[in-house]
Coordinates of all heavy atoms in Angstrom, one line a residue:
M960 N -11.4 7.9 12.3 CA -10.1 7.9 12.9 C -10.2 7.4 14.4 O -11.1 7.9 15.1 CB -9.4 9.3 12.9 CG -8.0 9.2 13.2 SD -7.1 10.9 13.1 CE -6.9 11.1 11.4
S961 N -9.5 6.4 14.7 CA -9.6 5.9 16.1 C -9.0 6.9 17.1 O -8.4 7.9 16.8 CB -8.8 4.6 16.3 OG -7.4 4.8 16.2
D962 N -9.2 6.6 18.4 CA -8.8 7.5 19.5 C -7.3 7.5 19.4 O -6.7 8.6 19.6 CB -9.2 7.0 20.8 CG -10.7 7.3 21.0 OD1 -11.3 8.1 20.3 OD2 -11.3 6.6 22.0
V963 N -6.5 6.4 19.2 CA -5.1 6.3 19.1 C -4.6 7.2 18.0 O -3.7 8.0 18.1 CB -4.6 4.9 19.0 CG1 -3.1 4.9 18.7 CG2 -4.9 4.1 20.3
Q964 N -5.2 7.0 16.8 CA -4.8 7.8 15.7 C -5.0 9.3 15.9 O -4.1 10.1 15.5 CB -5.6 7.4 14.4 CG -5.3 5.9 14.0 CD -3.9 5.7 13.5 OE1 -3.4 6.5 12.6 NE2 -3.3 4.7 14.0
T965 N -6.1 9.7 16.5 CA -6.3 11.1 16.8 C -5.2 11.6 17.8 O -4.6 12.6 17.6 CB -7.7 11.2 17.4 OG1 -8.6 10.8 16.5 CG2 -8.0 12.7 17.8
W966 N -4.9 10.8 18.8 CA -3.9 11.1 19.8 C -2.6 11.3 19.1 O -1.8 12.3 19.4 CB -3.8 10.1 20.9 CG -2.8 10.4 22.0 CD1 -3.0 11.3 23.0 CD2 -1.5 9.9 22.0 NE1 -1.7 11.4 23.7 CE2 -0.8 10.6 23.0 CE3 -0.7 9.1 21.2 CZ2 0.5 10.3 23.5 CZ3 0.6 8.9 21.6 CH2 1.2 9.5 22.6
I967 N -2.2 10.4 18.3 CA -0.9 10.5 17.5 C -0.9 11.6 16.7 O 0.2 12.4 16.7 CB -0.7 9.2 16.7 CG1 -0.4 7.9 17.6 CG2 0.5 9.4 15.7 CD1 -0.4 6.6 16.9
K968 N -1.9 12.0 16.0 CA -1.9 13.2 15.1 C -1.8 14.4 15.9 O -0.9 15.3 15.6 CB -3.2 13.2 14.3 CG -3.2 14.5 13.4 CD -4.5 14.4 12.5 CE -4.4 15.6 11.5 NZ -5.5 15.6 10.6
E969 N -2.5 14.5 17.1 CA -2.4 15.7 17.9 C -0.9 15.8 18.5 O -0.4 16.9 18.6 CB -3.3 15.6 19.1 CG -4.8 15.8 18.6 CD -5.9 15.5 19.7 OE1 -5.4 15.0 20.8 OE2 -7.0 15.7 19.4
T970 N -0.4 14.6 18.9 CA 0.9 14.6 19.5 C 2.1 15.2 18.5 O 2.9 16.0 18.8 CB 1.3 13.2 19.9 OG1 0.4 12.9 20.9 CG2 2.8 13.2 20.5
V971 N 2.0 14.7 17.2 CA 3.0 15.0 16.3 C 2.9 16.4 15.7 O 3.9 17.0 15.2 CB 3.1 14.0 15.1 CG1 3.6 12.6 15.6 CG2 1.9 14.0 14.2
T972 N 1.7 16.9 15.8 CA 1.5 18.3 15.3 C 1.6 19.4 16.4 O 1.9 20.5 16.0 CB 0.0 18.5 14.6 OG1 -0.9 18.1 15.5 CG2 0.0 17.6 13.3
A973 N 1.4 19.0 17.7 CA 1.6 20.0 18.7 C 3.0 20.1 19.2 O 3.2 21.2 19.8 CB 0.7 19.5 19.9
T974 N 3.9 19.1 18.9 CA 5.3 19.2 19.4 C 6.3 19.3 18.2 O 6.1 18.4 17.3 CB 5.5 18.0 20.3 OG1 4.5 17.9 21.3 CG2 6.8 18.1 21.0
P975 N 7.2 20.1 18.2 CA 8.1 20.3 17.1 C 8.9 19.1 16.8 O 9.0 18.7 15.6 CB 9.0 21.4 17.5 CG 8.3 22.2 18.5 CD 7.4 21.2 19.2
V976 N 9.4 18.3 17.8 CA 10.2 17.1 17.5 C 9.7 16.0 18.4 O 9.7 16.1 19.6 CB 11.7 17.4 17.8 CG1 12.5 16.1 17.6 CG2 12.2 18.5 17.0
V977 N 9.2 15.0 17.7 CA 8.6 13.8 18.4 C 9.3 12.6 18.0 O 9.3 12.3 16.7 CB 7.2 13.7 18.4 CG1 6.6 12.5 19.1 CG2 6.4 15.0 18.7
L978 N 9.8 11.8 18.9 CA 10.4 10.4 18.5 C 9.6 9.3 19.2 O 9.5 9.3 20.4 CB 11.8 10.4 19.0 CG 12.6 9.1 18.7 CD1 12.8 9.0 17.1 CD2 13.9 9.0 19.3
F979 N 9.0 8.6 18.4 CA 8.3 7.3 18.9 C 9.5 6.3 19.0 O 10.1 5.9 18.0 CB 7.2 6.9 18.0 CG 5.9 7.8 18.1 CD1 5.9 8.9 17.4 CD2 4.8 7.4 18.9 CE1 4.8 9.8 17.5 CE2 3.8 8.2 19.0 CZ 3.8 9.4 18.3
M980 N 9.6 5.7 20.2 CA 10.8 4.8 20.4 C 10.4 3.8 21.4 O 9.5 3.7 22.0 CB 12.0 5.7 20.9 CG 11.7 6.4 22.2 SD 13.1 7.3 22.8 CE 14.3 6.1 23.2
K981 N 11.4 2.8 21.5 CA 11.3 1.8 22.5 C 12.1 2.2 23.7 O 13.4 2.4 23.5 CB 11.9 0.4 21.9 CG 11.0 -0.2 20.8 CD 11.6 -1.5 20.3 CE 10.7 -1.9 19.1 NZ 11.3 -3.1 18.6
G982 N 11.5 2.5 24.8 CA 12.1 3.0 26.0 C 12.1 4.5 26.0 O 11.2 5.1 25.4
T983 N 13.0 5.2 26.7 CA 12.9 6.5 27.0 C 14.3 7.1 26.5 O 15.3 6.4 26.3 CB 12.7 6.9 28.4 OG1 13.8 6.4 29.2 CG2 11.4 6.3 29.0
A984 N 14.3 8.4 26.5 CA 15.6 9.1 26.0 C 16.7 8.8 27.1 O 17.9 8.6 26.7 CB 15.4 10.6 25.9
Q985 N 16.3 8.6 28.3 CA 17.3 8.4 29.3 C 17.7 6.9 29.4 O 18.7 6.5 29.8 CB 16.8 8.7 30.7 CG 16.6 10.2 31.0 CD 15.3 10.7 30.2 OE1 14.4 10.0 30.0 NE2 15.3 12.1 29.9
F986 N 16.7 6.0 28.9 CA 17.0 4.6 29.0 C 16.3 3.9 27.8 O 15.3 3.3 27.9 CB 16.4 4.0 30.3 CG 16.9 2.6 30.5 CD1 18.2 2.3 30.8 CD2 15.9 1.6 30.5 CE1 18.6 1.0 31.0 CE2 16.4 0.2 30.7 CZ 17.7 0.0 31.0
P987 N 17.1 4.1 26.6 CA 16.5 3.4 25.3 C 16.5 1.8 25.5 O 17.3 1.3 26.2 CB 17.5 3.8 24.3 CG 18.2 5.0 24.9 CD 18.2 4.8 26.3
Q988 N 15.5 1.2 25.0 CA 15.4 -0.2 25.2 C 15.7 -0.9 23.9 O 15.6 -2.2 23.9 CB 13.9 -0.6 25.4 CG 13.4 0.0 26.8 CD 14.0 -0.7 28.0 OE1 13.8 -2.0 28.1 NE2 14.9 -0.1 28.8
C989 N 16.3 -0.3 22.8 CA 16.9 -1.0 21.7 C 18.0 -0.1 21.1 O 17.9 1.1 21.3 CB 15.8 -1.4 20.7 SG 15.3 -0.1 19.6
G990 N 18.8 -0.7 20.4 CA 20.0 0.0 19.8 C 19.5 1.1 18.8 O 20.2 2.1 18.7
F991 N 18.5 0.8 18.1 CA 18.1 1.8 17.0 C 17.5 3.0 17.7 O 17.7 4.1 17.3 CB 17.0 1.2 16.1 CG 17.5 0.0 15.3 CD1 17.3 -1.3 15.5 CD2 18.5 0.3 14.2 CE1 17.7 -2.3 14.7 CE2 18.9 -0.8 13.5 CZ 18.6 -2.0 13.7
S992 N 16.6 2.7 18.8 CA 16.1 3.9 19.5 C 17.3 4.8 20.1 O 17.2 6.0 20.2 CB 15.1 3.5 20.6 OG 14.0 3.0 19.9
G993 N 18.3 4.1 20.7 CA 19.4 4.7 21.3 C 20.1 5.6 20.3 O 20.6 6.7 20.7
R994 N 20.4 5.0 19.1 CA 21.0 5.7 18.0 C 20.2 7.0 17.7 O 20.8 8.1 17.5 CB 21.4 4.8 16.9 CG 22.0 5.5 15.7 CD 23.4 5.8 16.1 NE 24.0 6.6 14.9 CZ 24.7 7.6 14.9 NH1 25.0 8.2 16.1 NH2 25.3 8.2 13.9
A995 N 19.0 6.9 17.5 CA 18.1 7.9 17.2 C 18.2 9.1 18.2 O 18.4 10.3 17.8 CB 16.6 7.6 17.1
I996 N 18.3 8.8 19.5 CA 18.5 9.8 20.6 C 19.8 10.4 20.4 O 20.0 11.7 20.4 CB 18.3 9.2 22.0 CG1 16.8 8.8 22.2 CG2 18.8 10.1 23.0 CD1 15.9 10.0 22.2
Q997 N 20.9 9.6 20.2 CA 22.2 10.2 20.0 C 22.3 11.2 18.8 O 23.0 12.2 18.9 CB 23.2 9.1 19.7 CG 23.5 8.2 20.9 CD 24.5 7.0 20.6 OE1 24.5 6.6 19.4 NE2 25.1 6.5 21.6
I998 N 21.6 10.8 17.7 CA 21.7 11.7 16.5 C 20.9 13.0 16.8 O 21.4 14.1 16.5 CB 21.0 11.0 15.4 CG1 21.8 9.8 14.9 CG2 20.6 11.9 14.2 CD1 21.1 8.9 13.9
L999 N 19.8 12.9 17.5 CA 19.1 14.2 17.9 C 19.9 15.0 18.8 O 20.0 16.3 18.6 CB 17.7 13.9 18.4 CG 16.7 13.3 17.4 CD1 15.4 12.8 18.1 CD2 16.3 14.3 16.4
K1000 N 20.5 14.5 19.7 CA 21.3 15.3 20.7 C 22.5 15.9 19.9 O 23.0 17.0 20.2 CB 21.8 14.3 21.9 CG 20.7 14.1 22.8 CD 21.2 13.3 24.0 CE 20.1 13.0 25.0 NZ 20.4 12.3 26.1
A1001 N 23.2 15.1 18.9 CA 24.3 15.6 18.2 C 23.9 16.7 17.3 O 24.7 17.6 16.9 CB 24.9 14.5 17.3
C1002 N 22.6 16.8 17.0 CA 22.0 17.9 16.1 C 21.7 19.1 17.0 O 21.2 20.2 16.5 CB 20.8 17.5 15.4 SG 21.2 16.4 14.0
G1003 N 21.9 19.0 18.4 CA 21.6 20.1 19.3 C 20.2 20.1 19.8 O 19.7 21.1 20.4
V1004 N 19.4 19.1 19.6 CA 18.0 19.1 20.1 C 18.1 18.9 21.6 O 18.6 17.9 22.0 CB 17.1 18.1 19.4 CG1 15.7 18.0 19.9 CG2 17.1 18.2 17.9
E1005 N 17.5 19.8 22.4 CA 17.6 19.6 23.8 C 16.2 19.1 24.3 O 16.2 18.3 25.2 CB 17.8 20.9 24.4 CG 19.3 21.4 24.0 CD 19.7 22.7 24.7 OE1 18.9 23.3 25.5 OE2 20.8 23.2 24.4
N1006 N 15.1 19.5 23.8 CA 13.8 19.1 24.2 C 13.3 18.1 23.2 O 12.5 18.5 22.3 CB 12.9 20.3 24.4 CG 13.3 21.2 25.5 OD1 13.9 20.8 26.5 ND2 13.2 22.5 25.3
I1007 N 13.6 16.8 23.5 CA 13.1 15.7 22.6 C 11.8 15.1 23.3 O 11.9 14.6 24.4 CB 14.2 14.6 22.4 CG1 15.5 15.3 21.8 CG2 13.7 13.5 21.5 CD1 16.7 14.3 22.0
A1008 N 10.8 15.3 22.6 CA 9.6 14.6 23.2 C 9.6 13.2 22.7 O 9.7 13.0 21.4 CB 8.3 15.4 22.6
T1009 N 9.5 12.2 23.5 CA 9.6 10.9 23.2 C 8.3 10.2 23.7 O 7.7 10.5 24.7 CB 10.8 10.1 23.8 OG1 10.7 10.2 25.3 CG2 12.1 10.8 23.3
V1010 N 7.9 9.2 22.9 CA 6.8 8.3 23.2 C 7.3 6.9 23.3 O 7.8 6.4 22.3 CB 5.6 8.5 22.2 CG1 4.5 7.5 22.6 CG2 5.2 9.9 22.1
N1011 N 7.2 6.3 24.5 CA 7.7 4.8 24.7 C 6.6 4.0 24.3 O 5.6 3.7 24.9 CB 8.0 4.6 26.2 CG 8.6 3.2 26.4 OD1 8.7 2.4 25.5 ND2 8.9 3.0 27.7
V1012 N 6.7 3.3 23.0 CA 5.7 2.5 22.5 C 5.6 1.2 23.3 O 4.6 0.5 23.0 CB 6.1 2.2 20.9 CG1 6.0 3.5 20.1 CG2 7.3 1.4 20.7
L1013 N 6.6 0.9 24.1 CA 6.5 -0.4 24.9 C 5.5 -0.3 25.9 O 5.0 -1.3 26.6 CB 7.9 -0.7 25.4 CG 9.0 -1.0 24.4 CD1 10.3 -1.3 25.1 CD2 8.7 -2.1 23.5
E1014 N 5.1 0.9 26.3 CA 4.1 1.1 27.4 C 2.7 0.8 26.9 O 1.8 0.7 27.8 CB 4.2 2.5 28.0 CG 5.5 2.8 28.7 CD 5.6 4.2 29.3 OE1 4.8 5.1 28.8 OE2 6.5 4.4 30.1
D1015 N 2.4 0.9 25.6 CA 1.0 0.8 25.1 C 1.1 0.1 23.7 O 1.4 0.7 22.7 CB 0.4 2.2 25.0 CG -1.1 2.1 24.7 OD1 -1.5 1.1 24.1 OD2 -1.7 3.1 25.0
P1016 N 0.5 -1.1 23.7 CA 0.5 -1.9 22.5 C -0.3 -1.2 21.4 O -0.1 -1.3 20.2 CB -0.1 -3.2 22.9 CG 0.0 -3.3 24.3 CD 0.0 -1.9 24.9
E1017 N -1.3 -0.4 21.8 CA -2.2 0.3 20.7 C -1.4 1.3 20.1 O -1.5 1.6 19.0 CB -3.4 0.9 21.5 CG -4.6 -0.1 21.7 CD -5.8 0.5 22.2 OE1 -6.4 1.3 21.3 OE2 -6.2 0.4 23.3
V1018 N -0.6 2.0 20.9 CA 0.2 3.2 20.3 C 1.3 2.5 19.5 O 1.7 3.0 18.4 CB 0.9 4.0 21.4 CG1 1.9 5.0 20.9 CG2 -0.3 4.8 22.2
R1019 N 1.9 1.4 20.0 CA 2.9 0.8 19.2 C 2.5 0.4 17.8 O 3.2 0.6 16.8 CB 3.5 -0.5 19.9 CG 4.6 -1.2 19.3 CD 5.1 -2.4 20.2 NE 6.3 -2.9 19.5 CZ 7.1 -3.8 20.2 NH1 6.8 -4.2 21.4 NH2 8.2 -4.2 19.6
Q1020 N 1.3 -0.2 17.7 CA 0.7 -0.6 16.4 C 0.1 0.7 15.6 O 0.3 0.8 14.5 CB -0.4 -1.6 16.5 CG -0.9 -2.1 15.2 CD 0.1 -2.7 14.3 OE1 0.9 -3.5 14.7 NE2 0.2 -2.2 13.1
G1021 N -0.4 1.6 16.5 CA -1.0 2.7 15.9 C -0.1 3.6 15.1 O -0.4 4.2 14.0
I1022 N 1.2 3.8 15.6 CA 2.1 4.6 15.0 C 2.6 4.0 13.7 O 2.8 4.6 12.7 CB 3.3 5.1 15.9 CG1 4.1 6.1 15.3 CG2 4.3 3.8 16.2 CD1 3.4 7.4 15.1
K1023 N 2.6 2.7 13.7 CA 3.0 2.0 12.4 C 1.9 2.2 11.3 O 2.2 2.4 10.2 CB 3.3 0.5 12.7 CG 4.4 0.2 13.5 CD 4.4 -1.3 13.8 CE 5.6 -1.6 14.8 NZ 5.7 -3.1 15.1
D1024 N 0.6 2.2 11.8 CA -0.4 2.4 10.8 C -0.5 3.8 10.4 O -0.7 4.2 9.2 CB -1.8 2.0 11.5 CG -1.8 0.5 11.8 OD1 -1.1 -0.3 11.2 OD2 -2.7 0.2 12.8
Y1025 N -0.3 4.7 11.4 CA -0.4 6.2 11.0 C 0.7 6.6 10.0 O 0.4 7.3 9.0 CB -0.1 6.9 12.4 CG -0.2 8.4 12.2 CD1 -1.4 9.1 12.3 CD2 0.9 9.2 12.0 CE1 -1.5 10.5 12.2 CE2 0.9 10.6 11.9 CZ -0.4 11.2 11.9 OH -0.5 12.6 11.8
S1026 N 1.9 6.0 10.1 CA 2.9 6.4 9.2 C 3.1 5.5 8.0 O 3.8 5.8 7.0 CB 4.3 6.4 9.9 OG 4.6 5.1 10.3
N1027 N 2.4 4.3 8.0 CA 2.6 3.3 7.1 C 4.1 2.9 7.0 O 4.6 2.7 5.9 CB 2.0 3.7 5.7 CG 1.8 2.5 4.8 OD1 1.6 1.4 5.2 ND2 1.9 2.8 3.5
W1028 N 4.7 2.8 8.2 CA 6.0 2.5 8.3 C 6.2 1.4 9.4 O 5.7 1.5 10.5 CB 6.9 3.7 8.7 CG 8.3 3.6 8.7 CD1 9.2 3.3 9.8 CD2 9.3 3.8 7.6 NE1 10.5 3.3 9.3 CE2 10.5 3.6 8.1 CE3 9.0 4.1 6.2 CZ2 11.6 3.7 7.2 CZ3 10.1 4.2 5.4 CH2 11.4 4.1 5.9
P1029 N 6.8 0.2 9.0 CA 6.7 -1.0 10.0 C 7.6 -1.0 11.1 O 7.5 -1.8 11.9 CB 7.1 -2.1 9.0 CG 8.1 -1.5 8.0 CD 7.6 -0.1 7.8
T1030 N 8.6 0.0 11.2 CA 9.5 -0.2 12.3 C 9.5 1.0 13.3 O 9.0 2.1 12.9 CB 11.0 -0.3 11.8 OG1 11.3 0.7 11.0 CG2 11.1 -1.6 11.0
I1031 N 10.1 0.8 14.5 CA 10.3 1.8 15.4 C 11.8 1.9 15.7 O 12.5 0.9 15.6 CB 9.6 1.4 16.9 CG1 8.1 1.0 16.7 CG2 9.9 2.4 17.9 CD1 7.2 2.2 16.3
P1032 N 12.4 3.0 15.9 CA 11.8 4.4 16.1 C 11.3 5.1 14.9 O 11.6 4.7 13.8 CB 13.0 5.2 16.8 CG 14.2 4.5 16.0 CD 13.8 3.1 15.9
Q1033 N 10.5 6.1 15.1 CA 9.9 7.0 14.1 C 10.1 8.4 14.5 O 9.6 8.7 15.6 CB 8.5 6.6 13.8 CG 8.3 5.3 13.1 CD 6.8 5.1 12.7 OE1 6.0 6.0 12.7 NE2 6.5 3.8 12.5
L1034 N 10.6 9.2 13.6 CA 10.9 10.7 14.0 C 9.9 11.5 13.2 O 9.7 11.3 12.0 CB 12.3 11.1 13.6 CG 12.7 12.5 13.8 CD1 12.7 13.0 15.3 CD2 13.9 12.8 13.2
Y1035 N 9.3 12.4 13.9 CA 8.5 13.5 13.4 C 8.9 14.8 13.7 O 9.4 15.1 14.8 CB 7.0 13.3 13.9 CG 6.3 12.1 13.4 CD1 6.5 10.8 14.0 CD2 5.4 12.2 12.4 CE1 5.9 9.7 13.5 CE2 4.8 11.1 11.8 CZ 5.0 9.8 12.4 OH 4.4 8.7 12.0
I1036 N 9.0 15.7 12.7 CA 9.5 17.1 12.8 C 8.4 18.0 12.3 O 8.1 17.9 11.1 CB 10.9 17.3 12.1 CG1 12.0 16.5 12.7 CG2 11.2 18.8 12.3 CD1 13.2 16.6 12.0
K1037 N 7.8 18.8 13.2 CA 6.8 19.7 12.8 C 5.6 19.0 12.1 O 5.2 19.4 11.1 CB 7.4 20.8 11.9 CG 8.4 21.7 12.7 CD 8.9 22.7 11.8 CE 10.1 23.4 12.6 NZ 11.2 23.9 11.8
G1038 N 5.3 17.9 12.6 CA 4.2 17.0 12.1 C 4.5 16.2 10.9 O 3.6 15.4 10.5
E1039 N 5.6 16.3 10.4 CA 6.0 15.5 9.2 C 6.8 14.3 9.6 O 7.8 14.3 10.3 CB 6.9 16.3 8.2 CG 7.3 15.6 7.0 CD 8.2 16.5 6.1 OE1 8.3 17.7 6.3 OE2 8.8 15.9 5.2
F1040 N 6.5 13.1 9.1 CA 7.2 11.9 9.3 C 8.5 11.9 8.6 O 8.5 12.1 7.3 CB 6.4 10.7 8.8 CG 7.1 9.4 8.9 CD1 7.6 8.9 10.2 CD2 7.3 8.6 7.8 CE1 8.3 7.7 10.2 CE2 8.0 7.4 7.9 CZ 8.5 6.9 9.1
I1041 N 9.5 11.7 9.2 CA 11.0 11.8 8.6 C 11.5 10.3 8.3 O 11.9 10.2 7.2 CB 11.9 12.5 9.6 CG1 11.4 13.9 10.0 CG2 13.3 12.5 9.0 CD1 11.1 14.8 8.7
G1042 N 11.3 9.4 9.3 CA 11.8 8.1 9.1 C 12.3 7.5 10.3 O 12.1 8.0 11.4
G1043 N 13.0 6.4 10.1 CA 13.6 5.6 11.3 C 15.0 6.0 11.4 O 15.5 6.9 10.9
S1044 N 15.7 5.1 12.2 CA 17.1 5.5 12.6 C 18.1 5.4 11.4 O 19.0 6.2 11.4 CB 17.6 4.6 13.7 OG 17.6 3.2 13.3
D1045 N 17.8 4.6 10.4 CA 18.7 4.5 9.3 C 18.6 5.8 8.5 O 19.6 6.4 8.0 CB 18.4 3.3 8.4 CG 18.8 2.0 9.0 OD1 19.5 2.0 10.1 OD2 18.4 0.9 8.4
I1046 N 17.3 6.2 8.2 CA 17.1 7.5 7.5 C 17.7 8.6 8.3 O 18.3 9.5 7.7 CB 15.7 7.7 7.1 CG1 15.2 6.6 6.1 CG2 15.3 9.0 6.6 CD1 13.8 6.5 5.8
M1047 N 17.4 8.6 9.5 CA 18.0 9.7 10.4 C 19.5 9.8 10.3 O 20.1 10.8 10.2 CB 17.6 9.5 11.9 CG 16.1 9.8 12.2 SD 15.7 9.3 13.9 CE 16.7 10.6 14.8
N1048 N 20.1 8.6 10.3 CA 21.6 8.6 10.2 C 22.1 9.1 8.9 O 23.0 9.9 8.9 CB 22.1 7.1 10.4 CG 23.6 7.1 10.8 OD1 24.0 7.7 11.7 ND2 24.3 6.2 10.0
E1049 N 21.5 8.7 7.8 CA 21.9 9.2 6.5 C 21.7 10.8 6.4 O 22.5 11.4 5.9 CB 21.0 8.6 5.4 CG 21.4 7.1 5.1 CD 20.4 6.4 4.2 OE1 19.6 7.2 3.5 OE2 20.3 5.2 4.2
M1050 N 20.6 11.2 7.0 CA 20.3 12.7 6.9 C 21.3 13.4 7.9 O 21.6 14.6 7.6 CB 18.9 13.0 7.3 CG 17.8 12.5 6.3 SD 16.2 12.8 6.8 CE 16.0 14.5 6.7
F1051 N 21.6 12.8 9.0 CA 22.6 13.4 9.8 C 24.0 13.5 9.2 O 24.6 14.6 9.3 CB 22.7 12.5 11.1 CG 23.8 13.0 12.1 CD1 23.7 14.2 12.8 CD2 24.9 12.2 12.4 CE1 24.7 14.7 13.7 CE2 25.9 12.6 13.2 CZ 25.8 13.8 13.9
E1052 N 24.4 12.5 8.5 CA 25.7 12.5 8.0 C 25.8 13.5 6.8 O 26.9 14.2 6.6 CB 26.1 11.1 7.5 CG 26.4 10.1 8.6 CD 26.7 8.7 8.2 OE1 26.7 8.5 7.0 OE2 27.0 7.9 9.1
S1053 N 24.7 13.7 6.1 CA 24.7 14.6 5.0 C 24.4 16.1 5.5 O 24.6 17.1 4.7 CB 23.6 14.3 4.0 OG 22.3 14.6 4.5
G1054 N 24.0 16.3 6.8 CA 23.8 17.7 7.3 C 22.3 18.1 7.1 O 21.8 19.1 7.6
E1055 N 21.6 17.3 6.3 CA 20.2 17.5 6.0 C 19.2 17.6 7.3 O 18.4 18.4 7.4 CB 19.7 16.5 5.1 CG 18.3 16.8 4.5 CD 17.8 15.7 3.5 OE1 18.6 14.8 3.2 OE2 16.7 15.8 3.1
L1056 N 19.5 16.7 8.2 CA 18.7 16.6 9.4 C 18.9 17.9 10.3 O 17.8 18.4 10.7 CB 19.0 15.4 10.3 CG 18.2 15.1 11.5 CD1 16.7 14.9 11.0 CD2 18.5 13.9 12.2
K1057 N 20.1 18.3 10.5 CA 20.3 19.5 11.3 C 19.7 20.7 10.6 O 19.1 21.5 11.3 CB 21.8 19.7 11.5 CG 22.1 21.0 12.3 CD 23.2 20.8 13.3 CE 23.6 22.0 14.1 NZ 22.5 22.6 14.8
A1058 N 19.8 20.8 9.4 CA 19.2 21.9 8.6 C 17.7 21.9 8.8 O 17.1 22.9 9.0 CB 19.6 21.8 7.1
L1059 N 17.1 20.7 8.7 CA 15.6 20.6 8.9 C 15.2 21.0 10.4 O 14.2 21.6 10.6 CB 15.1 19.1 8.6 CG 13.7 18.8 8.6 CD1 13.0 19.7 7.5 CD2 13.5 17.4 8.3
L1060 N 16.0 20.5 11.3 CA 15.7 20.8 12.7 C 15.9 22.3 13.0 O 15.2 22.9 13.8 CB 16.6 20.0 13.6 CG 16.2 18.5 13.7 CD1 17.4 17.8 14.2 CD2 15.0 18.3 14.6
D1061 N 16.9 23.0 12.4 CA 17.1 24.4 12.5 C 16.1 25.3 11.8 O 16.0 26.5 12.2 CB 18.5 24.7 12.1 CG 19.6 24.1 13.1 OD1 19.3 23.7 14.2 OD2 20.7 24.1 12.7
A1062 N 15.4 24.8 10.9 CA 14.6 25.6 10.0 C 13.4 26.2 10.8 O 12.9 25.5 11.8 CB 14.0 24.8 8.8

């Protein structure tokens, strides 16, 4: 496992809610990342750990390899890969995401 893969694994397992995104929670750099932040806030998540993939090309590619998922943003809850903004939106609308976050 590469250093980036090790760092990603440690990050997603050490922090309950991690969003790999373009930009920051305060200043998202794409609409999908912005929507992901809005969804998490609507679910009552106050401490959202975010990783700005635009700051490090190795992390940007590494997270795609780690999850075997081609797009950003990517949400992890308690070390488990949940999905991108479309999946987050579906789970939010059904109430499943809030239940998972509250568990």
